[in-house]
């Protein structure tokens, strides 16, 4: 099962680069189940994502609304060749999908692509938001996802490292560094906008405009960061 993690961004010039490999893996003209958080704008979201995926390759997107506070029925994926999870409130996506979608993909793997929140919840332990660490700011408050202290919750379990997104553009790398340094997650990947990371087993390749920042613990409450650009592989 290959996992495609997109760090956000809406630059149409990068759609083919970011989503083309995901669609190619799913087969000819795949049916893509698009899981989108229902915040009252699912039709608008689906119109945007249908266009983005169509710009990357021939496909048949169909919408699967994710209802906040409601259980997710994995049978919604029946007939799908691939799964795409969009952006929005990361805590709500995690609450709805972590158990049922994670189990469904473990039993019957499908190519997976996650954009922003969809990338963050792919991890075993997902950084879902927050901007404070013991009351000390570590990233802009605007990135907090309606949370104060950094929160780590169960994710889909598709990969071991935690994932944060909009890294360079929103300044969220500091949040991930803090989560790793404190031992809240084993290690992490912070992904810039208009940038994707394709994970296949223990290797991963960067695509797109920006960088992926690999954050590992470095002893005594420290963390080390190494950044990778498009075309480079990084070890997981």
């Amino acid at each position: 099962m290959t996992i495609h993690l997109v760090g956000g961004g809406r630059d149409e010039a990068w759609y083919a680069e970011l989503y083309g490999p995901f669609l190619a893996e799913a087969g000819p003209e795949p049916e893509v189940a698009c899981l989108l958080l229902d915040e009252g704008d699912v039709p608008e979201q689906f119109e945007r994502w249908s266009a983005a995926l169509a710009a990357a390759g021939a496909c048949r997107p169909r919408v699967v609304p994710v209802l906040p506070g409601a259980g997710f029925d994995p049978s919604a994926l029946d007939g799908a060749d691939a799964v795409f999870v969009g952006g929005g409130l990361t805590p709500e996506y995690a609450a709805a999908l972590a158990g049922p979608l994670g189990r469904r993909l473990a039993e019957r793997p499908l190519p997976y692509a996650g954009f922003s929140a969809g990338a963050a919840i792919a991890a075993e332990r997902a950084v879902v938001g927050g901007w404070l660490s013991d009351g000390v700011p570590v990233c802009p408050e605007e990135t907090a996802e309606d949370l104060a202290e950094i929160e780590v919750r169960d994710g889909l379990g598709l990969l071991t490292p935690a994932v944060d997104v909009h890294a360079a553009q929103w300044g969220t790398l500091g949040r991930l560094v803090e989560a790793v340094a404190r031992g809240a997650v084993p290690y992490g990947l912070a992904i810039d906008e208009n940038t994707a990371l394709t994970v296949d087993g223990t290797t991963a390749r960067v695509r797109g405009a920006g960088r992926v920042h690999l954050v590992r613990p470095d002893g005594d409450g420290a963390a080390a960061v190494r950044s990778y650009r498009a075309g480079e592989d990084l070890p997981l």
Side-chain angles (χ1 to χ4, degrees):
M1 176 180 178
T2 304
I3 305 155
H4 305 264
L5 307 173
V6 181
R10 301 187 181 187
D11 188 338
E12 296 178 7
W14 291 101
Y15 285 170
E17 178 73 13
L18 299 180
Y19 303 108
F22 162 64
L23 296 176
E25 182 191 354
E29 200 172 345
E31 180 177 301
V32 182
C34 297
L35 280 59
L36 306 174
L37 187 67
D38 190 352
E39 299 181 86
D41 62 344
V42 165
E44 293 82 2
Q45 288 189 65
F46 183 59
E47 182 179 5
R48 177 167 68 88
W49 284 118
S50 295
L53 293 172
C59 60
R60 293 174 290 121
R62 67 172 169 87
V63 66
V64 179
V66 176
L67 303 178
F72 176 74
D73 183 357
S75 68
L77 302 185
D78 291 352
D81 301 303
V83 177
F84 172 86
V85 179
L89 282 173
T90 307
E92 296 288 356
Y93 272 107
L97 300 179
L101 180 58
R103 289 190 295 269
R104 169 62 173 76
L105 293 175
E107 294 166 359
R108 297 175 59 194
L110 292 170
Y112 178 92
F115 171 90
S116 189
I121 67 166
E124 290 180 7
R125 296 287 289 163
V127 176
V128 298
W131 67 293
L132 303 173
S133 178
D134 290 336
V136 178
V138 293
C139 64
E141 185 175 2
E142 293 79 10
T143 70
E145 306 267 11
D146 295 337
L147 299 171
E149 291 288 322
I150 297 173
E151 287 200 24
V152 177
R153 301 180 187 174
D154 287 340
L156 300 179
L158 305 183
L159 69 166
T160 300
V163 179
D164 217 326
V165 290
H166 308 280
Q169 292 74 21
W170 290 11
T172 53
L173 176 58
R175 176 168 62 199
L176 186 61
V177 167
E178 184 68 7
V180 171
R182 294 183 58 139
V185 295
Y187 66 108
L189 302 161
I191 306 174
D192 290 348
E193 289 186 357
N194 299 308
T195 305
L197 184 71
T198 297
V199 180
D200 186 1
T202 58
T203 61
R205 170 155 289 199
V206 182
R207 307 192 311 275
R211 293 179 179 264
V212 175
H213 315 274
L214 177 62
V215 184
R216 291 192 180 274
D218 200 28
D220 297 324
V225 180
R226 180 175 176 182
S227 298
Y228 297 79
R229 62 185 177 184
E232 293 185 315
D233 295 332
L234 59 88
L236 296 182

